[in-house]
């Protein structure tokens, strides 16, 4: 009898586990589905696309990717930053959006971002950088939109003048220009 | 040993510190290497501007050619870099936008190289700087041409390409120089990596060695500590055993008993089962020691212990030796069972011990106390068993008794008397009195009696309990070690009294009893002589009385001490002769002067012929040995006359006077001695010693005259 009681107990526990598992699975599926269905549909670019973001994103406007034109980037929240870069000995005034704001906007779910430039250069930067520092995705220099010739249309500006730890050579490699594409990983 | 452990501790400390320093140094080194490797990686990665310049230069030229001529110039395609629009440029047509973009890319590159990078040897900096400024001028020059270039416009293309072709060699050689530097760097990096790996090896090895060293040291130390601990434990166990056991019999000792008793009490509390404590005492064991020597005594104790263990052989029975000839037994049983065992043990101990051919017989007594019915703590158990043992001994030996509540009252009384006696002696003998009993001789011719001496006897009038029987407090004094002090006090009092009487013209002899305990004091003669000197008493008038007693430990020593006393002129009397074991050898060995016949013989003279014969014999014996004879307890004239007929010299007894206060003696001396009357006055009521001074003269006088008249 005692043995049977034990087995009944084991069954009860197994049953409980199964029920819990099913409930958990269902909830997870529902969440994923709702995330898929109710993922924020971002607005479509109206003018030339200057930046494409792909990878692990919550939000998108083109088949899992986010295409951005200049006004869309400006709408995320334009910030300004006065700093030198590795190529200029005089400070310039940069306008752009904070990288973390942009990542929020696209609903980033990754740990790092691979940047690809027009000339084929690519570098992978941990997302931590953008939360430790006010890293700017610049679109204007001294009030003028960045052209390709002027290392645009977008480039990363680290606030070197505000934080000496950014003088480390690895940040020179991360100061990408002529950014064409970001892949959130 | 201490030096060794100190050296070991220092070695630990040094090796641990050395290892820590080494590890710290290694960590720093590894950290540095990590930085170097990261930097080297940066250097050979694609970030470098010179190489990117060549790539973009060639890419632009190929794209321009394709755009203008519609041909694929594969030779100019520098690499596998993807095109800005993500498509491969070899198969698809090239748009004007692409040309534009790549021109801008080349432009931005050319204008961003301000200084020649570190990859180029310094002597070539000048050359490449010139090349760069030339390239910038050419780019400006072809800018308009590129903006307006259209497919098939061969002339414009030629002008563009001619301008750019100027730099092909220089850009290539710059890239080559850079590549060469890169190769050097790579090999340097390889070296560094090798070094780093070697260093890592060393570090791992040293760490391993260090860990092994430390582990070995600690292992050795742990082993040593364990050995040391075991040695200490062994020693402790041995010390504990010695502390709790009697080395002779191997039984536990008093502290072991106490420990076990507390344990038994705890068990009794938990289980409700009582237990008994039995104290055994071997009677007359001291005699065995004295007669056969200590080694024999020790063997007897061992055998006795073995017999006890045989009888109390249950698992929980505890047999211990408390010291001397005293054993204690703890038995967890009811009283009846313990009683049976005790009877068996007493019987077993009374059968003869065969020690080296000697049959030795001893008897034993036992006292039993019981927890929790009769006694309620370990101290009480011991005390009560002791009381019961005392009781058993006083009932005659070879028996046992169980503790009863009344026993402790008796002992308390004793304890109180002892304290009071001590107090009294400390305060000059308050409450103590020396009484004197006259010793007389009778003139045969005129029948007149004359007081020739007195025996000093002590009396104690307790302020609350009244007169304490002399035997009782003498015993207390003997057992509590006060006998010496008491005896001193009596001697001093008696001597000073006698000295004052001598001065008054009454040359009396003084007899004083010596206790057996005093006989054990081999220095007694010196102390006594000093006392006599202090009081000024003539030793020729002093007689000390001794009894035959087993309590004298060393008879030879005592005899020699008595001889010294005798040599000083002090007489020696044998008291209570005939009641002890009347060892004639003892009589012979001592320098005796006087023999005192015990009152028990004198009292029977009138009724029994045997006693008359005995007394006659004793007196003859004494006279034969040249001893004076004193008859004690003479109460009637008939007794006196008989004794005188046997030529007894001196009489002492109620016929002549009870022991009395010194004032009464004085009165007697001044009145009776002159008149040589015989019947002394009765001593005053001893209960009222304070009244002596006034009452002495009054009632004694008439009686004296009356007796005087009668005797005449």
């Amino acid at each position: 009898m005692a043995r049977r009681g034990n087995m009944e107990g084991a069954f009860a526990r197994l049953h409980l586990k199964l029920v819990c598992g099913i409930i958990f699975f269902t909830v997870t599926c529902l969440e994923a589905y709702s995330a898929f269905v109710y993922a924020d549909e971002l607005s479509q670019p109206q003018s030339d696309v200057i930046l494409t973001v792909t990878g692990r994103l919550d939000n998108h406007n083109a088949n899992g990717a986010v295409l951005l034109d200049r006004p869309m980037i400006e709408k995320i929240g334009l910030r300004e930053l006065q700093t030198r870069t590795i190529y200029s000995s005089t400070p310039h005034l940069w306008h752009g959006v904070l990288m973390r704001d942009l990542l929020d906007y696209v609903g980033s779910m990754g740990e790092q971002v691979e940047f690809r430039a027009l000339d084929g250069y690519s570098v992978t930067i941990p997302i931590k950088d953008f939360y430790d520092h006010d890293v700017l995705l610049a679109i204007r220099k001294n009030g003028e939109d960045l052209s390709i010739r002027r290392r645009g249309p977008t480039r990363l500006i680290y606030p070197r003048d505000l934080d000496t730890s950014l003088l480390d050579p690895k940040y020179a490699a991360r100061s990408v220009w002529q950014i064409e594409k970001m892949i959130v990983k | 040993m201490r030096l060794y452990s100190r050296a070991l501790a220092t070695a630990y400390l040094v090796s641990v510190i050395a290892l820590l320093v080494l590890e710290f140094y290694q960590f720093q080194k590894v950290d540095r290497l990590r930085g170097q490797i990261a930097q080297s990686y940066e250097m050979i990665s694609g970030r470098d501007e010179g190489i990117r310049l060549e790539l973009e230069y060639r890419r632009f030229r190929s794209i321009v050619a394709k755009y203008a001529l519609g041909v694929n110039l594969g030779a100019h395609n520098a690499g596998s870099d993807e095109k800005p629009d993500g498509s491969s440029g070899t198969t698809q047509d090239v748009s004007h936008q692409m040309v534009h973009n790549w021109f801008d890319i080349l432009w931005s590159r050319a204008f961003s190289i301000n200084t020649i990078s570190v990859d180029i040897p310094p002597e070539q900096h000048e050359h490449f700087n010139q090349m760069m400024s030339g390239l910038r001028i050419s780019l400006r020059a072809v800018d308009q041409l590129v903006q307006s270039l259209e497919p098939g416009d061969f002339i414009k293309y030629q002008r563009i390409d001619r301008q750019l072709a100027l730099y092909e060699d220089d850009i290539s050689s710059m890239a080559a120089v850079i590549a060469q530097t890169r190769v050097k760097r790579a090999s340097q990096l390889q070296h560094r990596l090798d070094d780093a790996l070697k260093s890592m090896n060393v570090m791992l090895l040293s760490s391993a060695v260090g860990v092994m060293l430390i582990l070995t040291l600690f292992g050795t130390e742990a082993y040593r500590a364990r050995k040391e601990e075991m040695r200490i434990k062994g020693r402790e166990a041995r010390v504990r055993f010695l502390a709790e056991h009697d080395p002779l019999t191997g039984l536990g000792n008093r502290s072991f008993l106490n420990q076990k008793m507390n344990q038994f009490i705890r068990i009794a509390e938990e289980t409700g089962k009582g237990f008994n404590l039995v104290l055994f005492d071997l009677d007359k064991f001291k005699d065995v020691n004295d007669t056969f020597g200590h080694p024999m005594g020790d063997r007897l104790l061992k055998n006795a212990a073995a017999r006890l263990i045989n009888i109390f052989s249950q698992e929980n029975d505890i047999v211990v030796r408390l010291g001397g000839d005293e054993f204690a037994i703890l038995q967890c049983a009811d009283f009846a069972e313990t009683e049976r065992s005790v009877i068996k043990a007493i019987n077993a101990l009374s059968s003869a011990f065969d020690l080296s051919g000697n049959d030795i017989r001893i008897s034993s007594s036992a006292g039993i106390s019981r927890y929790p019915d009769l006694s309620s703590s370990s101290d009480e158990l011991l005390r009560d068993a002791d009381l019961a043992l005392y009781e058993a001994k006083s009932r005659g030996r070879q028996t046992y008794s169980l503790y009863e509540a009344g026993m402790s009252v008796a002992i308390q009384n004793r304890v109180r008397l002892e304290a009071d006696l001590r107090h009294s002696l400390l305060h000059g003998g308050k409450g103590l009195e020396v009484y004197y009993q006259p010793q007389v001789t009778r003139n045969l011719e005129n029948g007149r009696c004359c007081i020739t001496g007195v025996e000093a006897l002590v009396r104690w009038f307790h302020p609350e309990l009244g007169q304490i029987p002399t035997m009782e407090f003498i015993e207390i004094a003997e057992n509590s070690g006060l006998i010496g002090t008491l005896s001193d006090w009596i001697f001093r009092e008696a001597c000073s009294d006698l000295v004052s009487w001598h001065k008054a013209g009454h040359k009396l002899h003084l007899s004083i009893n010596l206790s057996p305990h005093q006989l054990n004091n081999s220095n007694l003669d010196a102390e006594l002589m000093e006392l006599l000197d202090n009081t000024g008493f003539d030793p020729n008038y002093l007689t000390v009385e001794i009894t035959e007693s087993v309590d004298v430990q060393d008879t030879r020593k005592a005899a020699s001490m008595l001889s010294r006393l005798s040599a000083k002129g002090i007489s020696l009397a044998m008291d209570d002769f005939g009641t002890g074991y009347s060892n004639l050898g003892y009589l012979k060995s001592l320098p005796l002067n006087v023999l005192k016949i015990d009152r028990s013989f004198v009292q029977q003279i009138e009724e029994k012929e045997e006693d008359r014969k005995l007394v006659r014999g004793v007196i003859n014996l004494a006279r034969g040995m040249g001893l004076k004879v004193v008859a004690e307890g003479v109460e009637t004239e008939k007794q006196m006359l008989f004794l005188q007929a046997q030529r007894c010299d001196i009489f002492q007894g109620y016929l002549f006077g009870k022991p009395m206060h010194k004032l009464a003696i004085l009165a007697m001396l001044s009145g009776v001695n002159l008149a040589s009357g015989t019947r002394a006055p009765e001593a005053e009521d001893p209960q009222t010693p304070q009244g002596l001074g006034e009452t002495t003269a009054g009632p004694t006088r008439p009686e004296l005259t009356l007796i005087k008249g009668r005797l005449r």
Side-chain angles (χ1 to χ4, degrees):
Chain A
M1 279 306 279
R3 187 173 168 74
R4 203 170 143 194
N6 257 346
M7 280 178 68
E8 274 172 9
F11 270 125
R13 278 198 296 278
L14 186 65
H15 191 231
L16 192 69
K17 274 183 190 168
L18 273 173
V19 168
C20 285
I22 289 167
I23 290 172
F24 180 74
F25 181 74
T26 316
V27 168
T28 315
C29 287
L30 279 174
E31 273 177 0
Y33 180 71
S34 63
F36 176 71
V37 171
Y38 299 104
D40 287 340
E41 275 296 326
L42 301 175
S43 52
Q44 296 294 324
Q46 302 301 315
S47 51
D48 291 345
V49 172
I50 58 165
L51 182 66
T52 307
V53 186
T54 62
R56 300 175 56 195
L57 304 178
D58 249 0
N59 309 332
H60 31 78
N61 57 10
N63 203 14
V66 180
L67 305 177
L68 294 161
D69 60 6
R70 216 171 270 277
M72 282 171 79
I73 292 175
E74 284 173 15
K75 220 180 276 174
I76 291 170
L78 220 50
R79 299 276 289 263
E80 59 175 45
L81 175 67
Q82 179 106 19
T83 186
R84 277 172 291 208
T85 64
I86 47 169
Y87 300 107
S88 62
S89 49
T90 53
H92 298 285
L93 181 65
W94 303 93
H95 282 92
V97 292
L98 288 179
M99 265 309 294
R100 56 174 174 269
D101 290 349
L102 178 79
L103 290 174
D104 279 353
Y105 177 75
V106 300
S108 151
M109 296 187 297
E111 299 294 324
Q112 48 193 10
V113 182
E114 182 186 340
F115 288 82
R116 292 198 178 162
L118 285 173
D119 64 345
Y121 179 72
S122 81
V123 69
T124 302
I125 301 175
I127 276 178
K128 190 171 176 296
D129 263 21
F130 310 134
Y131 289 88
D132 290 349
H133 310 284
D134 292 336
V135 181
L136 204 68
L137 182 76
I139 54 170
R140 278 184 211 157
K141 179 183 175 186
N142 299 328
E144 281 180 51
D145 285 352
L146 292 171
S147 62
I148 294 176
R149 194 173 288 194
R150 303 187 63 173
R151 306 187 187 90
T154 58
R155 62 180 292 187
L156 276 190
I157 301 294
Y158 278 81
R160 285 165 63 91
D161 288 0
L162 306 182
D163 191 341
T164 49
S165 71
L166 295 175
L167 298 177
D168 192 288
K170 74 180 175 194
Y171 292 110
R174 292 178 187 178
S175 299
V176 206
W177 70 57
Q178 293 169 343
I179 299 168
E180 184 195 13
K181 196 174 183 183
M182 293 183 203
I183 305 165
V184 178
K185 294 178 176 172
Chain B
M1 202 60 216
R2 273 186 66 195
L3 192 74
Y4 167 71
S5 51
R6 197 176 294 174
L8 203 68
T10 315
Y12 285 164
L13 210 64
V14 167
S15 56
V16 166
I17 287 172
L19 275 166
L20 277 179
V21 168
L22 188 68
E23 296 287 314
F24 182 69
Y25 169 74
Q26 300 277 30
F27 275 124
Q28 273 195 328
K29 194 166 174 181
V30 168
D31 206 44
R32 215 163 46 234
L33 283 168
R34 206 164 52 92
Q36 282 176 358
I37 291 167
Q39 223 173 345
S40 308
Y41 174 76
E42 298 282 340
M43 283 190 294
I44 55 168
S45 71
R47 194 182 63 81
D48 182 80
E49 290 156 323
I51 289 169
R52 296 218 75 85
L53 175 67
E54 191 191 1
L55 283 175
E56 285 157 16
Y57 167 79
R58 292 192 189 289
R59 173 62 65 85
F60 175 69
R61 281 184 68 189
S62 111
I63 282 171
V64 161
K66 257 194 273 180
Y67 179 70
L69 310 176
V71 294
N72 181 14
L73 298 175
H76 290 280
N77 202 329
S80 58
D81 278 353
E82 284 181 31
K83 293 200 147 195
D85 56 4
S87 61
S88 172
T90 50
T91 51
Q92 274 192 333
D93 286 341
V94 177
S95 64
H96 186 255
Q97 183 62 42
M98 267 180 73
V99 175
H100 209 161
N101 280 355
W102 276 104
F103 185 72
D104 282 357
I105 289 169
L106 179 58
W107 181 288
S108 65
R109 179 66 62 193
F111 280 88
S112 69
I113 298 177
N114 294 325
T115 50
I116 293 303
S117 79
V118 289
D119 289 342
I120 296 166
E123 62 272 16
Q124 297 185 37
H125 278 194
E126 179 65 31
H127 175 67
F128 288 124
N129 273 334
Q130 276 176 11
M131 184 272 287
M132 284 307 296
S133 52
L135 178 63
R136 284 186 204 117
I137 292 165
S138 299
L139 283 178
R140 281 209 179 88
V142 299
D143 192 9
Q144 277 305 313
L145 295 172
V146 171
Q147 303 301 329
S148 58
L149 182 69
E150 284 188 10
D153 192 344
F154 186 69
I155 297 165
K156 272 187 186 167
Y157 166 73
Q158 262 195 328
R159 283 176 63 189
I160 293 168
D161 200 49
R162 212 180 293 135
Q163 274 290 336
L164 292 181
L166 291 174
Y167 304 100
E168 179 163 3
D169 290 348
D170 281 344
I171 286 178
S172 291
S173 71
M174 187 165 86
V177 166
I178 288 169
Q180 215 167 1
T181 319
R182 286 287 167 93
V183 170
K184 250 186 247 166
R185 280 267 174 78
S187 71
Q188 271 173 10
L189 180 65
Q190 185 63 49
H191 280 303
R192 276 187 194 169
L193 276 172
D194 284 351
D195 287 351
L197 286 174
K198 262 184 220 157
S199 171
M200 294 280 277
N201 283 349
V202 170
M203 192 180 97
L204 282 175
L205 209 67
S206 66
S207 295
V209 167
V211 166
M212 260 166 58
L213 182 71
I214 285 185
L215 283 181
T216 311
L217 283 173
F218 275 88
T220 315
E221 177 58 11
Y223 177 70
R224 200 185 62 78
R226 171 132 186 82
K227 249 173 65 175
E228 181 75 16
E229 189 187 308
M230 271 164 71
R231 228 185 48 199
I232 288 171
K233 262 190 189 162
R235 203 164 49 203
E236 273 174 358
R238 211 161 54 238
V239 167
R240 202 164 48 234
F241 183 85
L242 285 179
E244 288 175 355
H245 289 80
D246 162 42
L248 175 65
T249 57
L251 296 176
N253 61 13
R254 191 177 288 274
S255 97
F256 183 70
L257 176 70
N258 282 332
Q259 194 183 316
K260 284 290 170 190
M261 212 149 38
N262 290 330
Q263 189 183 327
F264 270 54
I265 287 174
R266 268 203 306 281
I267 293 170
E269 291 296 316
E270 282 163 17
T271 62
K273 279 164 101 181
F275 65 93
N276 300 307
L277 171 69
V278 187
L279 287 186
F280 268 99
D281 194 83
L282 308 183
D283 306 324
K284 310 260 179 184
F285 170 72
K286 205 176 281 161
D287 291 356
V288 176
N289 255 350
D290 290 346
T291 316
F292 298 100
H294 284 279
M296 196 69 93
D298 287 351
R299 286 173 63 187
L300 175 66
L301 283 175
K302 273 192 204 170
N303 286 357
R307 286 183 189 182
L308 283 176
I309 291 169
N310 261 343
I311 288 157
F312 295 94
S313 57
Q314 283 172 45
E315 197 187 338
N316 289 326
D317 291 352
I318 306 288
V319 181
V320 305
R321 181 179 166 220
L322 295 180
D325 53 356
E326 231 184 348
F327 293 90
I329 285 128
L330 282 177
Q331 190 176 46
C332 191
D334 54 15
F335 175 66
E337 190 184 338
T338 301
E339 191 180 23
R340 277 197 300 278
S341 303
V342 168
I343 291 169
K344 260 204 278 182
I346 288 176
N347 288 335
L349 289 173
S350 68
S351 64
F353 289 89
D354 180 17
L355 301 174
S356 324
N358 295 308
D359 265 3
I360 297 178
R361 284 173 188 278
I362 53 168
S363 64
S364 56
S365 311
I368 309 171
S369 59
R370 181 162 174 76
Y371 184 93
D373 321 16
L374 298 174
S375 321
S376 55
S377 73
S378 57
D379 287 347
E380 276 188 26
L381 270 169
L382 268 175
R383 191 195 67 198
D384 296 345
D386 215 20
L387 286 174
L389 179 62
Y390 185 79
E391 173 72 17
K393 282 189 168 180
S394 68
R395 279 211 309 243
R397 317 211 161 196
Q398 186 74 357
T399 185
Y400 65 92
S401 86
L402 176 65
Y403 168 73
E404 286 162 24
M407 290 178 186
S408 61
V409 175
I411 205 90
Q412 271 171 11
N413 195 27
R414 256 178 66 102
V415 167
R416 182 188 169 182
L417 283 181
E418 186 188 320
D420 289 346
L421 181 60
R422 196 182 297 275
H423 181 261
S424 170
L425 284 172
L426 271 176
H427 294 81
K430 210 169 72 185
L432 289 167
E433 290 285 347
V434 177
Y435 269 42
Y436 301 95
Q437 188 170 31
Q439 294 177 332
V440 302
T441 54
R442 185 163 182 265
N443 191 320
L444 267 177
E445 289 155 17
N446 57 17
R448 287 170 73 166
C449 293
C450 172
I451 301 180
T452 55
V454 286
E455 181 179 1
L457 297 157
V458 67
R459 294 289 182 267
W460 185 17
F461 302 99
H462 192 279
E464 286 161 34
L465 303 174
Q467 187 175 359
I468 310 296
T470 307
M471 288 297 284
E472 190 179 330
F473 79 82
I474 291 289
E475 193 196 333
I476 289 173
E478 281 180 343
N479 290 338
S480 59
L482 287 171
I483 191 69
T485 323
L486 179 63
S487 202
D488 268 7
W489 182 84
I490 297 169
F491 264 98
R492 199 173 301 112
E493 286 290 305
C495 286
S496 53
D497 280 350
L498 264 286
V499 165
S500 64
W501 296 346
H502 281 198
K503 278 179 187 159
H506 309 296
K507 293 284 187 183
L508 294 184
H509 278 271
L510 173 65
S511 292
I512 300 185
N513 292 296
L514 278 187
S515 81
H517 287 263
Q518 284 173 295
L519 288 181
N520 288 330
N521 177 3
S522 58
N523 202 30
L524 182 72
D525 55 323
E527 289 171 15
L528 211 53
M529 286 314 295
E530 192 188 339
L531 200 145
L532 293 181
D533 274 356
N534 287 345
T535 50
F537 188 64
D538 183 355
N540 289 309
Y541 284 89
L542 180 63
T543 304
V544 291
E545 300 185 0
I546 60 168
T547 53
E548 301 167 298
S549 169
V550 294
D551 291 336
V552 180
Q553 284 161 1
D554 190 337
T555 42
R556 285 231 310 263
K557 247 188 201 170
S560 74
M561 189 272 291
L562 290 171
S563 303
R564 289 199 295 277
L565 279 183
S566 184
K568 295 277 176 6
I570 296 171
S571 305
L572 189 61
M574 175 62 74
D575 204 1
D576 301 338
F577 185 75
T579 56
Y581 53 92
S582 298
N583 186 336
L584 294 180
Y586 196 55
L587 276 186
K588 196 179 71 181
S589 67
L590 294 173
L592 284 176
N593 307 96
V594 181
L595 203 64
K596 294 185 82 173
I597 304 174
D598 191 68
R599 68 182 68 242
S600 56
F601 299 111
V602 174
Q603 273 159 8
Q604 307 281 329
I605 290 174
E606 289 169 81
E607 290 91 38
K608 289 187 181 170
E609 176 59 25
E610 295 86 31
D611 282 298
R612 281 199 288 276
K613 282 181 184 166
L614 245 172
V615 169
R616 206 177 288 141
V618 170
I619 291 172
N620 282 337
L621 173 75
R623 295 191 71 84
M625 292 180 72
L627 303 177
K628 277 197 219 169
V629 182
V630 176
E632 284 183 288
V634 181
E635 289 180 1
T636 65
E637 273 187 66
K638 275 186 181 169
Q639 288 168 355
M640 180 192 73
L641 290 171
F642 171 79
L643 288 164
Q644 193 166 31
Q646 304 308 320
R647 298 174 65 194
C648 174
D649 308 301
I650 300 163
F651 313 109
Q652 182 180 347
Y654 286 4
L655 182 62
F656 312 101
K658 285 183 176 176
M660 62 187 83
H661 193 263
K662 59 184 174 186
L663 293 175
I665 286 281
L666 209 53
M668 217 171 136
L669 285 172
S670 46
V672 182
N673 205 20
L674 290 173
S676 65
T678 49
R679 183 78 190 225
E682 283 290 310
E684 286 73 25
D685 182 2
Q687 302 288 350
T688 56
Q690 288 85 357
L692 276 177
E694 295 83 45
T695 54
T696 314
T700 48
R701 284 275 178 196
E703 208 180 339
L704 276 172
T705 42
L706 180 93
I707 292 163
K708 208 179 350 180
R710 190 169 56 109
L711 282 174
R712 268 182 194 149

